[in-house]
Amino acid sequence: MSYVQPGEFDRDTNYIEDRITRDARDGWPVEAGRYRLVAARACPWANRTVIVRRLLGLEGAISLGLPGPTHDERSWTFDLDPGGVDPVLGISRLQEAYFARFRDYPRGITVPAVVDVPTGRVVTNDYPQITLDFSTEWGAFHRAGAPDLYPDALRAEIDEVNDGVFRDVNNGVYRAGFAGSQEAYERAYERLFSRLDSLSTRLSSQRYLVGDTITEADVRLFTTLARFDAVYHGHFKCNRSKLSEMPVLWAYARDLFQTPGFGDTIDFGQIKDHYYKVHRDINPTGVVPLGPDPRGWLTPHHREELGGRPFGDGTPPPPPPADERVPPLAAA
C-alpha cells in the first residue's frame, strides 16, 4: 500500500474494471456496433483510446462520442452535439450512463468511458485496460495492416516502461500542478524531470520506447508530451524546461505527432480550454493563454535517421472520418 505524503495529489485509481472480451468473461462480449467510446479530446487519458482506436482501425466497430472540453462538478457534457445531446446515446451528460448502471455512482464521472449502447449503461472507465483490450481482444475487427501495439515478446518491457511513465510523467504533471504544499510540489517536479531526462537518454539512440516500432508505451507518453508546453509548463508549474527546449523528446514527440493516428487526434484549442477554464482553483480568472504557436509540431524531426518502422509490417491508418477530424494547426 503506497503512502501519500502531506500535500501530495492523490489520484483515485479505483475504476470500473469490467472488460469487453472475446469470451465475455464479465458479461460483455466483443461485438461490433454495440459499444460507444466516450472520449473528450481535452483529456490525455481519453486521448490514448482515440489514438489506439485510430491506429487499429476500430472506427467501424466502436463509435466515438465527443464531449466538449469543459465540464462542471456533475460531469462531462455533450455540448458540441446539436441540442447538447449525444446522437447515439441520447444523453446530455455522461453522468447519465454511469447512473444508468450504478445509481448514485460515488466516484468521479471520468473519460474515457465505454458505454453499452442498447442499455445506455457504462461498461468500464478503466482507461489503461481499455487500450490493451482494443489491441488484444478486438483483433477480429482490426483493419488490414493494423500494427501490433502490445506484442507478446515485448509486453514485460512495455509494462515496466509504462509504470515509470505513469508514476512520474503522466500522473507526475498532476502531482506537481495540484500539490498542496511546496514540499509536495518540489518532489513531484524533481521526479518528473528526472524521468524525462532518463527518457531522453533512452530515446537518443532508439526511435521508439520499446523495440523498433510504435507500441502502447509510445501512445501513453505522447499524450502527456502533446500537452506539455500548452498546459503543463505554465498551468502546472512544470517549468524547468519546455518540451521544445528538450531536443530529444521534442523531436520524438514531433515524429509521433506527424505519424497518422497521433497528431490528427490533437485539438490544442480544446486542450487549453479544458485546463485553464475548468481548474479554477489554480487559474481563478479562467483566462486562456494564446500561445504557444502549435505550428512547430510540423517542423522536421529527423528521427527517421535512427531507423525503426512505425507500423512494423503494417501500414498507416487512413485519414479519420470526416466527423472526427480536428481543426488544422494555425498560429496562436
Side-chain angles (χ1 to χ4, degrees):
M1 181 175 179
S2 62
Y3 171 68
V4 177
Q5 299 187 55
E8 281 194 357
F9 169 68
D10 184 20
R11 180 176 297 280
D12 182 357
T13 56
N14 292 297
Y15 298 104
I16 304 167
E17 295 182 343
D18 284 20
R19 294 174 58 192
I20 300 168
T21 57
R22 288 169 291 177
D23 63 3
R25 70 193 73 169
D26 294 332
W28 307 104
V30 167
E31 183 179 322
R34 176 168 173 173
Y35 305 100
R36 187 159 177 83
L37 172 64
V38 179
R41 293 201 184 280
C43 171
W45 320 100
N47 193 178
R48 297 176 179 184
T49 63
V50 177
I51 291 171
V52 171
R53 175 178 170 271
R54 280 270 295 122
L55 295 176
L56 299 178
L58 290 171
E59 293 96 333
I62 305 169
S63 65
L64 179 64
L66 293 168
T70 61
H71 61 78
D72 58 22
E73 68 281 357
R74 290 173 59 194
S75 84
W76 296 86
T77 56
F78 293 97
D79 47 294
L80 301 179
D81 292 308
V85 174
D86 180 89
V88 172
L89 300 175
I91 58 177
S92 59
R93 290 178 175 273
L94 180 58
Q95 182 185 62
E96 297 174 58
Y98 278 73
F99 286 178
R101 185 171 176 207
F102 304 103
R103 185 176 180 180
D104 300 323
Y105 182 74
R107 300 186 180 280
I109 308 298
T110 60
V111 289
V114 180
V115 179
D116 180 47
V117 174
T119 63
R121 296 177 177 179
V122 66
V123 175
T124 181
N125 63 348
D126 188 3
Y127 66 88
Q129 191 62 50
I130 289 171
T131 51
L132 297 182
D133 283 344
F134 281 178
S135 286
T136 59
E137 299 292 330
W138 286 82
F141 299 100
H142 289 181
R143 65 179 176 85
D148 187 352
L149 299 176
Y150 197 49
D152 284 324
L154 297 177
R155 288 183 185 180
E157 187 177 358
I158 291 170
D159 292 345
E160 180 182 11
V161 171
N162 285 345
D163 180 65
V165 167
F166 170 77
R167 285 185 288 103
D168 299 334
V169 181
N170 300 146
N171 197 45
V173 292
Y174 286 85
R175 292 174 64 249
F178 290 112
S181 70
Q182 186 68 34
E183 294 77 12
Y185 162 71
E186 291 182 8
R187 285 194 297 269
Y189 178 101
E190 293 299 332
R191 284 177 57 177
L192 166 65
F193 283 102
S194 176
R195 180 70 64 176
L196 290 176
D197 288 343
S198 69
L199 290 168
S200 291
T201 300
R202 182 185 187 99
L203 289 164
S204 65
S205 58
Q206 61 189 63
R207 190 171 179 183
Y208 303 110
L209 280 172
V210 182
D212 67 349
T213 65
I214 291 167
T215 68
E216 173 82 15
D218 299 294
V219 175
R220 296 191 183 194
L221 178 57
F222 172 78
T223 58
T224 297
L225 297 183
R227 289 157 176 77
F228 203 90
D229 287 4
V231 176
Y232 303 141
H233 179 269
H235 186 57
F236 279 178
K237 299 182 280 293
C238 300
N239 61 355
R240 189 202 73 178
S241 312
K242 296 178 182 177
L243 175 65
S244 57
E245 296 168 343
M246 294 181 272
V248 172
L249 285 177
W250 177 221
Y252 164 79
R254 297 200 317 278
D255 185 6
L256 291 177
F257 187 91
Q258 294 170 33
T259 299
F262 284 85
D264 54 28
T265 71
I266 299 293
D267 187 321
F268 287 110
Q270 288 197 31
I271 288 169
K272 291 194 294 184
D273 278 353
H274 170 70
Y275 284 91
Y276 287 100
K277 290 181 179 179
V278 171
H279 299 159
R280 291 301 179 99
D281 48 345
I282 54 178
N283 186 41
T285 65
V287 172
V288 179
L290 293 177
D293 188 337
R295 292 176 297 179
W297 283 93
L298 300 179
T299 57
H301 53 76
H302 305 296
R303 292 284 293 179
E304 65 280 356
E305 296 172 8
L306 291 172
R309 301 174 300 144
F311 300 99
D313 294 329
T315 58
D323 61 350
E324 295 184 12
R325 293 175 186 168
V326 299
L329 295 187

